[in-house]
Amino acid sequence: MTKRIALLGSTGSIGQSTLQVVRHLGQEAMQIVALAAHSNIDLLEQQALEFKPELIAVYDQPQAHALQKRLPGQNILAGMEGVKAVAALKSANFVVSAMVGTLGLLPTVAALQAGKDVGLANKESLVAGGALVMALVKEKGSRLLPIDSEHSALFQCLNGENTKAVSRLILTASGGPFRNHSLEQLEAVTVDQALKHPTWNMGPKVTLDSSTLMNKGLEVIEAHWLFGIPIDQIEVVIHPQSIIHSMVEYVDGSILAQMGVPSMIVPIQYALTYPERKNGLMSPFDFAKHGTLQFYQPDVEKFRCLRLAYDAIKTGGSLPCYMNAANEVIIQRFIQRELSWLDIGRRLEDLMMRHQTVPLHSLDDVLQIDQLARHDANSFKL
Ligand code: MG
């Protein structure tokens, strides 16, 4: 059956790679029926002309109107309602959810409510509303397929196995650009340095989160929800080469690892073709070129965001959602040079300590906590 794909976040890094995979797999197998993007209408216009989608949504209202002027015959919607309409489009049978940050939550929920299978690159959806999103997946009988490289690796290593036989999920982390920095050096980190990742080429939010290891913390929470594995059985190991994308250790002592050169093409294609495998775009792996694979314990004193993420999911309730939204704002304040790189973790910890954790019963509860965290993180004094 042809996959009829609604792609959310088409102009971002994952979105562009998804289109590369769709081009490679061809019209018979994959069609783009709808595109949604935040605001980059120059690229979105090119994508529209190439893939001729039935519907387009632009989150940014003025940009939506500007694109409508350029493409008068095209059906274009604006704002979150537009993005949700793309996610729930009748003719789509698969949604790739790749918008950045908490913005991705509502469209992901809209896709699941409409009974779509979802390829999930937006980890924030599960961090903010994991229990609610997973309940919805169960209720609708939809598939939620991971596109994050670590989770695709875990998913592949868990394929056909009984999760009761899992002793540990082991997520690998590159360690980011400051893996070997002393506290003194971390004190002096600049925005430009934090925006350069040693092994992965990604958007600014994920790149900054990788530098603080918050990205790995969010991924631990994501893995907990996706695979239903208790948090104390999920560990992180620093693996600077990023060749092993993650591992599963079983009770008999066997460890399965998924590996390859760092590229989002493989996890995206696996989510799109699952449960089948199709010819890919990667060259054969050259073992001699990758002769050294190293592993280290993460330093949660220097990289306190990783510890904070564990604290958040162990406490549960509203705290992961609160942490996630507060982190997004603090990252922005770092980019605007209002605070230092080390302040990201310090400020986040202060805010989390002061937050009164409450249970989350509904999507409205999630959105309220998200707003509260944004308000708190925007209003603390420097
Ligand atoms: Mg990842």
Side-chain angles (χ1 to χ4, degrees):
M1 191 177 69
T2 308
K3 282 257 152 78
R4 297 173 58 80
I5 302 165
L7 173 55
L8 313 175
S10 68
T11 57
S13 162
I14 298 288
Q16 293 183 58
S17 297
T18 301
L19 293 176
Q20 199 184 335
V21 172
V22 166
R23 268 183 214 111
H24 160 71
L25 292 171
Q27 284 272 324
E28 292 283 290
M30 305 279 152
Q31 277 172 26
I32 295 292
V33 293
L35 294 170
H38 184 273
S39 53
N40 182 354
I41 58 167
D42 290 338
L43 183 53
L44 190 53
E45 181 183 12
Q46 285 176 31
Q47 293 174 345
L49 294 172
E50 180 181 353
F51 291 96
K52 303 183 173 56
E54 182 184 324
L55 180 63
I56 290 178
V58 186
Y59 178 73
D60 182 277
Q61 306 260 1
Q63 293 297 84
H65 295 142
L67 185 63
Q68 187 71 77
K69 279 198 188 124
R70 293 192 205 171
L71 301 170
Q74 176 79 52
N75 191 5
I76 298 176
L77 299 175
M80 182 51 78
E81 288 311 306
V83 178
K84 279 159 69 178
V86 163
L89 185 68
K90 206 163 187 181
S91 60
N93 57 20
F94 194 92
V95 174
V96 173
S97 174
M99 295 192 86
V100 177
T102 311
L103 214 55
L105 173 65
L106 290 176
T108 303
V109 167
L112 291 170
Q113 270 167 347
K116 313 291 185 194
D117 287 342
V118 173
L120 186 70
N122 177 266
K123 60 196 80 174
E124 290 86 352
S125 297
L126 284 177
V127 175
L132 295 163
V133 170
M134 293 316 290
L136 195 55
V137 169
K138 208 171 166 195
E139 181 197 324
K140 297 287 179 181
S142 306
R143 272 181 180 153
L144 188 61
L145 297 160
I147 287 183
D148 212 347
S149 66
E150 293 78 1
H151 303 78
S152 178
L154 294 170
F155 183 59
Q156 294 180 57
C157 295
L158 288 164
N159 208 351
E161 301 282 350
N162 184 346
T163 51
K164 289 201 176 78
V166 170
S167 63
R168 285 190 295 169
L169 302 183
I170 302 147
L171 280 84
T172 55
S174 72
F178 313 132
R179 183 172 62 83
N180 293 320
H181 274 37
S182 65
L183 267 180
E184 242 170 35
Q185 287 173 302
L186 288 175
E187 204 66 71
V189 157
T190 66
V191 173
D192 291 338
Q193 288 166 344
L195 283 171
K196 281 206 189 85
H197 194 276
T199 51
W200 291 93
N201 194 359
M202 309 171 290
K205 162 75 166 58
V206 189
T207 304
L208 279 176
D209 281 346
S210 297
S211 82
T212 63
L213 292 195
M214 176 51 89
N215 183 54
K216 210 48 55 178
L218 299 178
E219 289 180 353
V220 165
I221 299 173
E222 183 186 8
H224 164 69
W225 289 118
L226 269 176
F227 306 117
I229 301 289
I231 203 71
D232 54 8
Q233 285 171 251
I234 307 178
E235 291 177 19
V236 171
V237 65
I238 304 294
H239 167 44
Q241 292 80 17
S242 301
I243 297 297
I244 292 183
H245 303 316
S246 278
M247 300 174 261
V248 178
E249 185 181 65
Y250 289 93
V251 288
D252 60 0
S254 209
I255 298 170
L256 300 189
Q258 190 267 352
M259 57 193 287
V261 290
S263 164
M264 286 311 297
I265 293 292
V266 176
I268 290 169
Q269 178 165 323
Y270 190 69
L272 290 180
T273 64
Y274 176 84
E276 291 176 52
R277 288 187 188 273
K278 302 277 186 205
N279 285 337
L281 285 160
M282 309 300 291
S283 343
F285 187 78
D286 184 344
F287 281 86
K289 252 194 194 162
H290 302 277
T292 308
L293 301 183
Q294 295 165 301
F295 304 94
Y296 306 95
Q297 277 293 109
D299 183 339
V300 291
E301 291 313 310
K302 279 195 274 181
F303 297 93
R304 77 171 75 193
C305 287
L306 179 59
R307 174 171 56 76
L308 294 177
Y310 272 98
D311 291 348
I313 188 66
K314 281 179 186 164
T315 303
S318 56
L319 196 55
C321 173
Y322 184 91
M323 175 194 75
N324 173 60
N327 177 61
E328 278 188 27
V329 172
I330 293 175
I331 287 285
Q332 278 311 314
R333 294 186 72 174
F334 169 71
I335 292 174
Q336 285 152 19
R337 294 165 170 81
E338 290 179 33
L339 34 87
S340 74
W341 184 89
L342 274 177
D343 281 339
I344 296 170
R346 290 181 191 137
R347 294 295 183 166
L348 190 58
E349 182 155 27
D350 287 348
L351 288 170
M352 286 170 67
M353 299 268 281
R354 273 183 272 153
H355 173 60
Q356 299 280 344
T357 300
V358 293
L360 297 176
H361 297 298
S362 66
L363 199 55
D364 280 345
D365 289 351
V366 173
L367 298 177
Q368 272 187 25
I369 294 295
D370 182 89
Q371 285 308 309
L372 172 72
R374 280 168 207 279
H375 172 265
D376 290 353
N378 265 313
S379 53
F380 67 72
K381 292 201 177 62
L382 295 160

